[in-house]
PDB file of all heavy atoms in Angstrom:
ATOM      1  N   GLN S   5     101.039 117.300  99.360  1.00 69.00           N
ATOM      2  CA  GLN S   5     101.037 116.914 100.759  1.00 69.00           C
ATOM      3  C   GLN S   5     102.231 117.571 101.439  1.00 69.00           C
ATOM      4  O   GLN S   5     103.181 117.966 100.789  1.00 69.00           O
ATOM      5  CB  GLN S   5     101.131 115.391 100.889  1.00 69.00           C
ATOM      6  CG  GLN S   5      99.935 114.688 100.310  1.00 69.00           C
ATOM      7  CD  GLN S   5     100.151 113.197 100.181  1.00 69.00           C
ATOM      8  OE1 GLN S   5     101.275 112.740 100.036  1.00 69.00           O
ATOM      9  NE2 GLN S   5      99.088 112.448 100.220  1.00 69.00           N
ATOM     10  N   ASP S   6     102.162 117.642 102.742  1.00 84.00           N
ATOM     11  CA  ASP S   6     103.251 118.233 103.522  1.00 84.00           C
ATOM     12  C   ASP S   6     104.263 117.139 103.858  1.00 84.00           C
ATOM     13  O   ASP S   6     104.107 116.428 104.836  1.00 84.00           O
ATOM     14  CB  ASP S   6     102.683 118.864 104.794  1.00 84.00           C
ATOM     15  CG  ASP S   6     103.755 119.548 105.612  1.00 84.00           C
ATOM     16  OD1 ASP S   6     104.818 119.885 105.064  1.00 84.00           O
ATOM     17  OD2 ASP S   6     103.523 119.748 106.815  1.00 84.00           O
ATOM     18  N   TRP S   7     105.282 116.993 103.027  1.00 88.00           N
ATOM     19  CA  TRP S   7     106.288 115.954 103.211  1.00 88.00           C
ATOM     20  C   TRP S   7     107.414 116.475 104.089  1.00 88.00           C
ATOM     21  O   TRP S   7     107.932 117.556 103.860  1.00 88.00           O
ATOM     22  CB  TRP S   7     106.850 115.513 101.860  1.00 88.00           C
ATOM     23  CG  TRP S   7     105.867 114.738 101.047  1.00 88.00           C
ATOM     24  CD1 TRP S   7     104.955 115.250 100.184  1.00 88.00           C
ATOM     25  CD2 TRP S   7     105.689 113.324 101.032  1.00 88.00           C
ATOM     26  NE1 TRP S   7     104.219 114.233  99.627  1.00 88.00           N
ATOM     27  CE2 TRP S   7     104.647 113.043 100.124  1.00 88.00           C
ATOM     28  CE3 TRP S   7     106.312 112.265 101.692  1.00 88.00           C
ATOM     29  CZ2 TRP S   7     104.206 111.751  99.861  1.00 88.00           C
ATOM     30  CZ3 TRP S   7     105.872 110.974 101.424  1.00 88.00           C
ATOM     31  CH2 TRP S   7     104.832 110.722 100.525  1.00 88.00           C
ATOM     32  N   GLN S   8     107.806 115.687 105.088  1.00 92.00           N
ATOM     33  CA  GLN S   8     108.978 115.962 105.917  1.00 92.00           C
ATOM     34  C   GLN S   8     110.123 115.138 105.334  1.00 92.00           C
ATOM     35  O   GLN S   8     109.928 113.978 104.976  1.00 92.00           O
ATOM     36  CB  GLN S   8     108.728 115.536 107.366  1.00 92.00           C
ATOM     37  CG  GLN S   8     107.472 116.125 107.978  1.00 92.00           C
ATOM     38  CD  GLN S   8     107.552 117.618 108.135  1.00 92.00           C
ATOM     39  OE1 GLN S   8     108.549 118.136 108.604  1.00 92.00           O
ATOM     40  NE2 GLN S   8     106.514 118.314 107.725  1.00 92.00           N
ATOM     41  N   THR S   9     111.302 115.716 105.248  1.00 92.00           N
ATOM     42  CA  THR S   9     112.447 115.034 104.643  1.00 92.00           C
ATOM     43  C   THR S   9     113.588 114.935 105.650  1.00 92.00           C
ATOM     44  O   THR S   9     113.859 115.884 106.383  1.00 92.00           O
ATOM     45  CB  THR S   9     112.947 115.806 103.407  1.00 92.00           C
ATOM     46  OG1 THR S   9     111.861 116.028 102.524  1.00 92.00           O
ATOM     47  CG2 THR S   9     114.034 115.035 102.692  1.00 92.00           C
ATOM     48  N   GLU S  10     114.240 113.777 105.660  1.00 95.00           N
ATOM     49  CA  GLU S  10     115.400 113.584 106.524  1.00 95.00           C
ATOM     50  C   GLU S  10     116.425 112.729 105.783  1.00 95.00           C
ATOM     51  O   GLU S  10     116.062 111.745 105.135  1.00 95.00           O
ATOM     52  CB  GLU S  10     114.972 112.892 107.819  1.00 95.00           C
ATOM     53  CG  GLU S  10     116.088 112.809 108.831  1.00 95.00           C
ATOM     54  CD  GLU S  10     115.590 112.360 110.198  1.00 95.00           C
ATOM     55  OE1 GLU S  10     114.642 112.964 110.702  1.00 95.00           O
ATOM     56  OE2 GLU S  10     116.175 111.399 110.715  1.00 95.00           O
ATOM     57  N   LEU S  11     117.679 113.113 105.879  1.00 95.00           N
ATOM     58  CA  LEU S  11     118.765 112.333 105.286  1.00 95.00           C
ATOM     59  C   LEU S  11     119.223 111.302 106.304  1.00 95.00           C
ATOM     60  O   LEU S  11     119.479 111.620 107.467  1.00 95.00           O
ATOM     61  CB  LEU S  11     119.925 113.250 104.906  1.00 95.00           C
ATOM     62  CG  LEU S  11     121.061 112.605 104.125  1.00 95.00           C
ATOM     63  CD1 LEU S  11     120.577 112.109 102.767  1.00 95.00           C
ATOM     64  CD2 LEU S  11     122.191 113.592 103.939  1.00 95.00           C
ATOM     65  N   TYR S  12     119.297 110.033 105.877  1.00 95.00           N
ATOM     66  CA  TYR S  12     119.701 108.943 106.762  1.00 95.00           C
ATOM     67  C   TYR S  12     120.544 107.970 105.952  1.00 95.00           C
ATOM     68  O   TYR S  12     120.077 107.418 104.945  1.00 95.00           O
ATOM     69  CB  TYR S  12     118.471 108.246 107.341  1.00 95.00           C
ATOM     70  CG  TYR S  12     118.777 107.089 108.252  1.00 95.00           C
ATOM     71  CD1 TYR S  12     119.309 107.299 109.514  1.00 95.00           C
ATOM     72  CD2 TYR S  12     118.520 105.787 107.866  1.00 95.00           C
ATOM     73  CE1 TYR S  12     119.587 106.242 110.362  1.00 95.00           C
ATOM     74  CE2 TYR S  12     118.790 104.719 108.698  1.00 95.00           C
ATOM     75  CZ  TYR S  12     119.326 104.960 109.943  1.00 95.00           C
ATOM     76  OH  TYR S  12     119.596 103.904 110.786  1.00 95.00           O
ATOM     77  N   LYS S  13     121.784 107.774 106.368  1.00 94.00           N
ATOM     78  CA  LYS S  13     122.704 106.841 105.698  1.00 94.00           C
ATOM     79  C   LYS S  13     122.725 107.071 104.187  1.00 94.00           C
ATOM     80  O   LYS S  13     122.566 106.145 103.397  1.00 94.00           O
ATOM     81  CB  LYS S  13     122.355 105.405 106.035  1.00 94.00           C
ATOM     82  CG  LYS S  13     122.609 105.063 107.491  1.00 94.00           C
ATOM     83  CD  LYS S  13     122.601 103.581 107.732  1.00 94.00           C
ATOM     84  CE  LYS S  13     122.999 103.304 109.167  1.00 94.00           C
ATOM     85  NZ  LYS S  13     123.094 101.884 109.444  1.00 94.00           N
ATOM     86  N   ASP S  14     122.889 108.329 103.794  1.00 92.00           N
ATOM     87  CA  ASP S  14     123.009 108.730 102.393  1.00 92.00           C
ATOM     88  C   ASP S  14     121.738 108.529 101.578  1.00 92.00           C
ATOM     89  O   ASP S  14     121.781 108.560 100.347  1.00 92.00           O
ATOM     90  CB  ASP S  14     124.180 108.018 101.706  1.00 92.00           C
ATOM     91  CG  ASP S  14     125.513 108.388 102.319  1.00 92.00           C
ATOM     92  OD1 ASP S  14     125.653 109.547 102.754  1.00 92.00           O
ATOM     93  OD2 ASP S  14     126.409 107.535 102.358  1.00 92.00           O
ATOM     94  N   MET S  15     120.601 108.322 102.221  1.00 92.00           N
ATOM     95  CA  MET S  15     119.328 108.230 101.513  1.00 92.00           C
ATOM     96  C   MET S  15     118.376 109.256 102.105  1.00 92.00           C
ATOM     97  O   MET S  15     118.477 109.607 103.281  1.00 92.00           O
ATOM     98  CB  MET S  15     118.730 106.826 101.625  1.00 92.00           C
ATOM     99  CG  MET S  15     119.606 105.786 100.971  1.00 92.00           C
ATOM    100  SD  MET S  15     118.758 104.383 100.257  1.00 92.00           S
ATOM    101  CE  MET S  15     117.655 105.061  99.088  1.00 92.00           C
ATOM    102  N   GLU S  16     117.466 109.751 101.274  1.00 92.00           N
ATOM    103  CA  GLU S  16     116.465 110.696 101.749  1.00 92.00           C
ATOM    104  C   GLU S  16     115.195 109.940 102.118  1.00 92.00           C
ATOM    105  O   GLU S  16     114.705 109.117 101.341  1.00 92.00           O
ATOM    106  CB  GLU S  16     116.165 111.735 100.669  1.00 92.00           C
ATOM    107  CG  GLU S  16     117.337 112.663 100.436  1.00 92.00           C
ATOM    108  CD  GLU S  16     117.082 113.683  99.347  1.00 92.00           C
ATOM    109  OE1 GLU S  16     116.225 113.460  98.474  1.00 92.00           O
ATOM    110  OE2 GLU S  16     117.775 114.709  99.372  1.00 92.00           O
ATOM    111  N   ILE S  17     114.680 110.229 103.299  1.00 93.00           N
ATOM    112  CA  ILE S  17     113.425 109.659 103.767  1.00 93.00           C
ATOM    113  C   ILE S  17     112.386 110.771 103.697  1.00 93.00           C
ATOM    114  O   ILE S  17     112.592 111.854 104.228  1.00 93.00           O
ATOM    115  CB  ILE S  17     113.545 109.131 105.211  1.00 93.00           C
ATOM    116  CG1 ILE S  17     114.616 108.045 105.295  1.00 93.00           C
ATOM    117  CG2 ILE S  17     112.193 108.620 105.710  1.00 93.00           C
ATOM    118  CD1 ILE S  17     114.927 107.604 106.713  1.00 93.00           C
ATOM    119  N   TYR S  18     111.271 110.492 103.043  1.00 91.00           N
ATOM    120  CA  TYR S  18     110.159 111.428 102.926  1.00 91.00           C
ATOM    121  C   TYR S  18     108.965 110.836 103.661  1.00 91.00           C
ATOM    122  O   TYR S  18     108.585 109.696 103.403  1.00 91.00           O
ATOM    123  CB  TYR S  18     109.768 111.631 101.458  1.00 91.00           C
ATOM    124  CG  TYR S  18     110.838 112.281 100.632  1.00 91.00           C
ATOM    125  CD1 TYR S  18     111.883 111.539 100.096  1.00 91.00           C
ATOM    126  CD2 TYR S  18     110.797 113.642 100.380  1.00 91.00           C
ATOM    127  CE1 TYR S  18     112.863 112.134  99.332  1.00 91.00           C
ATOM    128  CE2 TYR S  18     111.778 114.252  99.609  1.00 91.00           C
ATOM    129  CZ  TYR S  18     112.803 113.489  99.094  1.00 91.00           C
ATOM    130  OH  TYR S  18     113.776 114.085  98.338  1.00 91.00           O
ATOM    131  N   VAL S  19     108.382 111.614 104.568  1.00 92.00           N
ATOM    132  CA  VAL S  19     107.238 111.143 105.344  1.00 92.00           C
ATOM    133  C   VAL S  19     106.148 112.206 105.324  1.00 92.00           C
ATOM    134  O   VAL S  19     106.434 113.400 105.467  1.00 92.00           O
ATOM    135  CB  VAL S  19     107.625 110.856 106.814  1.00 92.00           C
ATOM    136  CG1 VAL S  19     106.423 110.402 107.625  1.00 92.00           C
ATOM    137  CG2 VAL S  19     108.725 109.816 106.889  1.00 92.00           C
ATOM    138  N   THR S  20     104.925 111.768 105.180  1.00 90.00           N
ATOM    139  CA  THR S  20     103.784 112.667 105.314  1.00 90.00           C
ATOM    140  C   THR S  20     102.737 112.007 106.198  1.00 90.00           C
ATOM    141  O   THR S  20     102.588 110.782 106.183  1.00 90.00           O
ATOM    142  CB  THR S  20     103.186 113.049 103.942  1.00 90.00           C
ATOM    143  OG1 THR S  20     102.244 114.099 104.132  1.00 90.00           O
ATOM    144  CG2 THR S  20     102.535 111.885 103.251  1.00 90.00           C
TER     145      THR S  20
END
Side-chain angles (χ1 to χ4, degrees):
Q5 296 168 332
D6 183 21
W7 290 88
Q8 306 294 314
T9 307
E10 187 169 308
L11 187 64
Y12 179 72
K13 292 195 174 184
D14 297 326
M15 297 211 58
E16 291 179 337
I17 300 172
Y18 295 83
V19 179
T20 190

